[in-house]
Amino acid sequence: MEDLSIHHVNLELSENRERHRTGGFSASNSLVVRRGDPFRISVQFKGRPFNPNTDSLKIDVMLGGLYTMMPVTFSRKESSAPWNACIDSNKSTPQNLSIFISSPAFASVGCYKFQLCLSTQNNRGSCVCGSFVVLCNPWCSEDAVFIPFEDEREEYVLSDSGLLFMGTPMNPVSRPWSFDQYEPGVLEACLDLLQVSPQHQVNRTKDYLKRNNPVYISRVVSAMINCEDDRGVLKGNWSEDFKEGVHPSKWAGSGDILKQWAKFGYNPVKYGQCWVFAAVMCTVMRVLGIPCRVVTNYNSAHDTNANLVIEEHYSETGQKLNYSKDSVWNFHVWVECWMTRKDLGSDMNGWQVLDPTPQQRSEGVFCCGPAPVKAIKYQCLDRPFDIPFVYAEVNAAVHTIIWSQGNVVSFSTDTERVGSFICTKAVGFPRLQNITGDYKSIKSSSSTLSSRSSIVSDDSTLSRGASSQRVTAFLTLDKSPVAGEPIRFTVKVVNRQRVPKKLIVHLNAQAKEYNHGPSDAFWENHGVMQLAPMEVKVLQQQIHPAQYKNVLGDNLINLAVVLEDTATRERVLAAEEFNISSPELIIKKDSIVPNKEHSATVTFINLFSHPVSGVLTVTGAGLINGRTQFRLNSLRPGGKVEQRFSFTPSMSGVKMLHASLSLSNSNVTVRGFKMVSINSV
């Protein structure tokens, strides 16, 4: 009889994908498993039957220069090694052995090679080689990324779509995003990211050893999402010139970015801004098995000199001036990853801030975190990594200064504005979740439509005039502004003295990007107001669509009022920054099952005051292969258009249909999304 040899090794892809919740990666044709849980392979022999008394098997597992040898035993109890392999007697025969391979819960993340070797009594042997990918395991209680709730694992690891929040605290805008972790080529690009990193290039063995730690992995990924120090994924651009690449607001998912980066030799993709950096990092972390969510911090301070103070400067007529390197971004987007912190102690376990947007160097590299959210809330500023920087982003004070002819005429302090609202997508639902209380102690709840009044500080060394409040101003938007409708707002003025007042009133509006100072005023109004003793007056104002149509898009509006007392020359400032909501696309669809063609309809109503045209793009990870595009011809104001399209879902689960209409001759993009539940047949 022919001697025993290995004929074939079956990696049991279907069973292992289900067991390890990696079925979404089926497009890669790789065995993808999560550390800490066993996976099964089947060995088919040819020749005589396998004899456990005379024949033996061993498995060599290699990750770069790291090497582990496992004898295949008949019981897990026979081996106490971190890696072990044992025969499943219930599914084995002398011609076909079923073997469970178990990796430790602290195994390094990466693409492993293995070699299965057979030795017989005649010292003849045969070997078969293969490979598999090991990811972190949030389902394993011994893994550092274990998260105890199934709905959170579904949301923060398995979900391939979500919402990013932009706009302002008073009017958050949800932007649909496709994380695309299951799209062909994305898994490979995320693994390549680790290989291309400087840490790996400098010392591969050391890098492989450290990849067992999510703290280390997250810092590598944070640095590699931007390209400032390495061959990272994205090039940031905060100018107005995007001719050499894609405007950041045009991206709708991570897949195109990661695949383009890998396809063109790991050259950075142009361009990204904070939400793009964060969303791509979320994709990479979810692929690697580390729970991750995208977080928006509204009124986020960029404190360049680390003094926890941001200065904002205004002219005497209320125009915001670009006098300071410090700034308050209307919103800033980063990610949080869930992990234990053995390096800091169990009180720092849980969500960790990571920010791939290149703002400030950390240990010489443009990355940020992981900074425990608990450390930020409880002001543990002496611990790594980058906690003081993140603390300032959510807690810095804002000093507002009014200038007149080179002199400071008013000074005020606001300790509530920065980090006033922090949110993420809710678990299982397409809406936001307020997580401000995770970062800071909430003194009192405030309306999202509250106004902000700045008054000369009583104790300020820069204040001019009396030490008591004489006039107070409040500026309030009547409703959240919508494109095509007038912006209506109210200015309430209070005379707190028992003497009459004559006030000069300056109103102006400036367009600004979320992270820049504003441009020149596009609307202004000036006048004089008389106030009787202790009188309260209310001014009703509006800005018509024709007056703001040239600043629509991703711009925000800085609206300010300055009151000047003609008798004392004192100034009072009230300001509000807000966004103008665009119309939404409405998507309607029928009930859906996998692998069958379905149709849906996108509806757009032109609420703008002028005709529009553009390109409609429809995408959906797991629903549409690539993208479907349609041309929209000139549509009159108030006009309605419906576009029907077909798609064939490739997998079950909750997926997102995403439609975007890029209007011609403007930076406006109209968006809409529909969550689709695909039932298995």
Side-chain angles (χ1 to χ4, degrees):
M1 176 180 289
E2 182 183 358
D3 199 8
L4 179 68
S5 62
I6 300 172
H7 176 63
H8 177 68
V9 173
N10 186 342
L11 298 182
E12 303 293 349
L13 293 178
S14 178
E15 175 189 327
N16 288 320
R17 285 169 179 163
E18 182 176 358
R19 180 192 298 271
H20 288 257
R21 300 169 183 84
T22 58
F25 298 117
S26 57
S28 72
N29 293 320
S30 297
L31 172 58
V32 183
V33 298
R34 301 190 186 277
R35 64 189 189 181
D37 282 337
F39 61 94
R40 189 168 72 88
I41 64 172
S42 298
V43 183
Q44 182 181 359
F45 298 105
K46 62 180 179 179
R48 63 174 176 80
F50 180 84
N51 183 346
N53 296 317
T54 58
D55 305 321
S56 64
L57 288 168
K58 71 167 185 170
I59 299 176
D60 298 329
V61 173
M62 295 147 283
L63 181 63
L66 304 182
Y67 175 89
T68 296
M69 190 277 288
M70 298 176 281
V72 179
T73 65
F74 279 86
S75 171
R76 294 187 192 180
K77 296 180 181 179
E78 297 179 30
S79 174
S80 59
W83 285 84
N84 64 79
C86 68
I87 294 172
D88 179 8
S89 58
N90 294 325
K91 291 190 175 182
S92 295
T93 68
Q95 291 296 146
N96 293 276
L97 291 185
S98 178
I99 300 173
F100 277 118
I101 300 174
S102 296
S103 64
F106 52 84
S108 293
V109 169
C111 185
Y112 287 72
K113 295 181 179 179
F114 76 89
Q115 185 170 306
L116 176 66
C117 297
L118 168 69
S119 295
T120 66
Q121 189 175 24
N122 299 326
N123 291 322
R124 292 186 176 182
S126 60
C127 295
V128 174
C129 298
S131 64
F132 58 91
V133 174
V134 173
L135 308 177
C136 294
N137 190 354
W139 286 265
C140 175
S141 60
E142 297 177 0
D143 196 310
V145 302
F146 172 69
I147 192 167
F149 303 107
E150 180 60 27
D151 60 343
E152 294 188 349
R153 293 189 289 251
E154 292 278 344
E155 179 73 42
Y156 301 137
V157 182
L158 299 182
S159 179
D160 61 355
S161 63
L163 299 177
L164 316 180
F165 294 98
M166 305 168 73
T168 59
M170 62 164 291
N171 190 20
V173 174
S174 60
R175 174 169 292 187
W177 189 271
S178 185
F179 294 115
D180 293 332
Q181 64 258 44
Y182 307 126
E183 293 298 291
V186 171
L187 168 66
E188 291 78 5
C190 293
L191 294 172
D192 288 349
L193 182 147
L194 299 179
Q195 303 297 101
V196 174
S197 71
Q199 291 88 340
H200 187 76
Q201 296 300 314
V202 169
N203 190 327
R204 300 188 177 194
T205 299
K206 184 178 180 180
D207 173 61
Y208 280 132
L209 284 169
K210 287 190 171 185
R211 280 197 212 167
N212 68 340
N213 185 354
V215 174
Y216 173 79
I217 294 173
S218 65
R219 282 186 65 78
V220 171
V221 174
S222 176
M224 281 296 297
I225 297 299
N226 69 75
C227 66
E228 297 304 311
D229 308 291
D230 44 47
R231 300 168 69 189
V233 177
L234 277 161
K235 176 68 176 176
N237 186 344
W238 287 269
S239 73
E240 296 181 359
D241 181 6
F242 301 100
K243 292 191 297 292
E244 294 185 4
V246 176
H247 192 296
S249 66
K250 301 299 183 183
W251 297 114
S254 304
D256 288 345
I257 295 170
L258 287 164
K259 289 188 285 187
Q260 182 178 326
W261 172 72
K263 179 178 179 180
F264 293 101
Y266 312 115
N267 287 312
V269 176
K270 301 176 181 179
Y271 293 103
Q273 291 184 6
C274 68
W275 69 91
V276 185
F277 286 110
V280 173
M281 182 166 183
C282 186
T283 295
V284 176
M285 300 308 278
R286 289 186 183 184
V287 165
L288 300 180
I290 300 174
C292 189
R293 64 187 186 183
V294 181
V295 170
T296 299
N297 176 39
Y298 286 99
N299 295 328
S300 186
H302 189 192
D303 182 16
T304 57
N305 57 6
N307 66 348
L308 288 177
V309 172
I310 306 296
E311 290 184 349
E312 292 192 336
H313 303 264
Y314 283 83
S315 74
E316 59 186 323
T317 59
Q319 285 204 45
K320 203 170 189 180
L321 306 171
N322 298 316
Y323 280 4
S324 175
K325 292 183 179 180
D326 289 348
S327 59
V328 177
W329 294 10
N330 289 85
F331 64 87
H332 181 47
V333 185
W334 56 63
V335 302
E336 290 176 358
C337 291
W338 181 277
M339 64 188 74
T340 59
R341 293 300 300 270
K342 293 181 180 179
D343 57 326
L344 300 181
S346 60
D347 58 332
M348 293 293 113
N349 291 347
W351 290 114
Q352 317 284 319
V353 172
L354 288 142
D355 190 350
T357 300
Q359 295 183 88
Q360 183 166 295
R361 293 186 185 275
S362 173
E363 297 184 343
V365 177
F366 276 108
C367 69
C368 179
V373 173
K374 293 176 183 176
I376 297 162
K377 180 171 183 175
Y378 298 114
Q379 303 179 38
C380 303
L381 305 183
D382 59 340
R383 306 189 188 187
F385 293 94
D386 309 303
I387 296 169
F389 182 77
V390 181
Y391 179 83
E393 288 183 296
V394 300
N395 285 296
V398 179
H399 290 177
T400 301
I401 302 166
I402 301 178
W403 293 84
S404 176
Q405 297 179 350
N407 298 313
V408 174
V409 295
S410 177
F411 176 90
S412 62
T413 298
D414 188 340
T415 59
E416 302 296 322
R417 178 179 169 194
V418 167
S420 60
F421 185 50
I422 305 170
C423 67
T424 188
K425 179 187 174 296
V427 175
F429 296 96
R431 60 172 182 255
L432 63 77
Q433 175 185 347
N434 184 348
I435 59 171
T436 312
D438 293 351
Y439 282 82
K440 53 204 299 184
S441 298
I442 306 301
K443 297 177 182 178
S444 62
S445 59
S446 59
S447 167
T448 56
L449 292 178
S450 64
S451 66
R452 179 171 298 106
S453 176
S454 298
I455 306 162
V456 177
S457 301
D458 293 347
D459 57 352
S460 171
T461 57
L462 294 177
S463 64
R464 304 297 170 89
S467 60
S468 61
Q469 298 176 7
R470 293 185 171 100
V471 175
T472 307
F474 298 93
L475 189 156
T476 307
L477 293 169
D478 295 352
K479 58 171 289 189
S480 297
V482 177
E485 299 178 4
I487 301 170
R488 294 185 171 90
F489 63 96
T490 300
V491 178
K492 180 181 176 181
V493 184
V494 182
N495 182 1
R496 298 187 178 275
Q497 289 191 307
R498 299 186 183 278
V499 295
K501 297 281 185 184
K502 181 181 179 181
L503 304 175
I504 300 175
V505 182
H506 302 284
L507 289 159
N508 79 78
Q510 300 165 271
K512 68 184 293 288
E513 296 182 27
Y514 75 98
N515 64 328
H516 279 171
S519 55
D520 293 337
F522 68 85
W523 175 89
E524 55 187 316
N525 194 5
H526 307 277
V528 177
M529 173 187 292
Q530 300 284 349
L531 282 177
M534 306 300 290
E535 184 181 9
V536 177
K537 276 192 176 180
V538 174
L539 301 177
Q540 301 288 344
Q541 297 285 315
Q542 63 180 352
I543 305 173
H544 294 283
Q547 296 172 301
Y548 67 71
K549 69 177 182 179
N550 292 330
V551 299
L552 286 172
D554 288 328
N555 285 321
L556 298 128
I557 307 299
N558 187 85
L559 182 65
V561 57
V562 170
L563 306 176
E564 180 183 349
D565 189 324
T566 59
T568 65
R569 316 311 297 179
E570 291 176 330
R571 274 84 166 179
V572 176
L573 167 74
E576 190 66 75
E577 291 184 337
F578 60 89
N579 53 302
I580 303 174
S581 298
S582 295
E584 291 186 357
L585 300 176
I586 306 300
I587 303 176
K588 294 183 178 179
K589 51 79 187 174
D590 302 323
S591 59
I592 295 174
V593 295
N595 303 315
K596 291 185 179 181
E597 185 172 277
H598 298 78
S599 61
T601 303
V602 179
T603 302
F604 171 65
I605 299 174
N606 181 14
L607 300 180
F608 297 102
S609 58
H610 54 278
V612 299
S613 60
V615 176
L616 174 67
T617 302
V618 182
T619 60
L623 300 172
I624 298 173
N625 185 16
R627 66 191 63 217
T628 302
Q629 290 189 321
F630 307 93
R631 169 69 58 178
L632 172 66
N633 295 320
S634 182
L635 184 66
R636 61 177 175 79
K640 176 180 177 180
V641 64
E642 293 184 344
Q643 179 64 58
R644 198 166 184 83
F645 63 93
S646 300
F647 62 97
T648 303
S650 59
M651 62 180 70
S652 60
V654 178
K655 303 296 176 183
M656 176 190 284
L657 274 174
H658 175 209
S660 61
L661 175 60
S662 295
L663 300 184
S664 303
N665 302 318
S666 77
N667 289 326
V668 176
T669 300
V670 183
R671 295 179 173 84
F673 70 94
K674 186 77 172 179
M675 303 308 297
V676 177
S677 181
I678 306 168
N679 303 314
S680 57
V681 179

